[in-house]
Amino acid sequence: MKRFITFCLITTLLILSGCGNKNDDNVSVIGGADGPTSIYLKENDDSGNYTQIDQETAKLMMELDDGHVIVDVRREDEYAKGHIPGAILIPNESIGTEQPSELPDLDQIILVYCRSGRRSKEASQKLADIGYTNVYEFGGIVDWTGEIVTD
């Protein structure tokens, strides 16, 4: 029921915001404690920024079959102790000014996390600076309430 109400609210807001000259490509959903709670119009200014989201929104985004990738930017030993299912490891220290081979699509949705949120913010900014356009940072695994796996 909560998802239906959220869907109706988002749909209504999208319809109302559609009265201007913006299109749906400029709309991003940002979360709150109970799921997506607000919508903002994202400017296509290529400013090299990433979007910070909460973990509940990250979970909702992970449920979508949209070709997203989850990136863990901790060290290899931290990753081995436990990570979010499906996450790939690209340590923050390894991200420089060149596009990582693990992320060939600059427009792919990239969900980034670390242990506490500091390295994920650094890595997200580096990825945005490289040219990635859909980088979403959602903090640290220490606060993660979802599933964690080891390999």
Side-chain angles (χ1 to χ4, degrees):
M1 183 63 172
K2 189 185 291 186
R3 282 190 182 188
F4 177 73
I5 292 171
T6 301
F7 174 78
C8 290
L9 175 64
I10 291 171
T11 302
T12 302
L13 290 172
L14 286 173
I15 290 169
L16 292 174
S17 68
C19 295
N21 61 1
K22 303 274 185 186
N23 62 34
D24 288 347
D25 292 339
N26 294 328
V27 176
S28 293
V29 178
I30 300 301
D34 295 327
T37 57
S38 61
I39 294 177
Y40 76 95
L41 294 175
K42 182 170 109 179
E43 297 296 325
N44 289 329
D45 60 2
D46 296 327
S47 63
N49 291 320
Y50 65 92
T51 303
Q52 187 171 4
I53 59 174
D54 62 36
Q55 294 196 352
E56 291 305 312
T57 302
K59 286 179 189 175
L60 290 173
M61 292 175 76
M62 289 175 195
E63 292 175 6
L64 301 175
D65 186 17
D66 57 7
H68 67 268
V69 62
I70 306 164
V71 177
D72 185 323
V73 296
R74 298 176 296 158
R75 295 184 318 266
E76 189 170 348
D77 61 311
E78 294 173 294
Y79 179 86
K81 290 178 183 175
H83 55 272
I84 295 173
I88 62 170
L89 176 65
I90 305 176
N92 179 39
E93 299 78 22
S94 72
I95 302 172
T97 58
E98 299 295 319
Q99 186 174 351
S101 61
E102 300 91 341
L103 302 172
D105 183 358
L106 290 173
D107 296 320
Q108 181 176 33
I109 294 171
I110 303 170
L111 303 170
V112 183
Y113 75 95
C114 64
R115 187 189 68 78
S116 65
R118 185 187 59 78
R119 287 177 284 179
S120 58
K121 286 175 181 50
E122 289 177 10
S124 294
Q125 187 59 60
K126 288 193 265 185
L127 292 171
D129 290 344
I130 291 169
Y132 290 94
T133 59
N134 292 303
V135 180
Y136 297 89
E137 187 274 330
F138 64 96
I141 199 166
V142 295
D143 299 318
W144 185 250
T145 59
E147 183 180 3
I148 295 175
V149 297
T150 57
D151 289 338

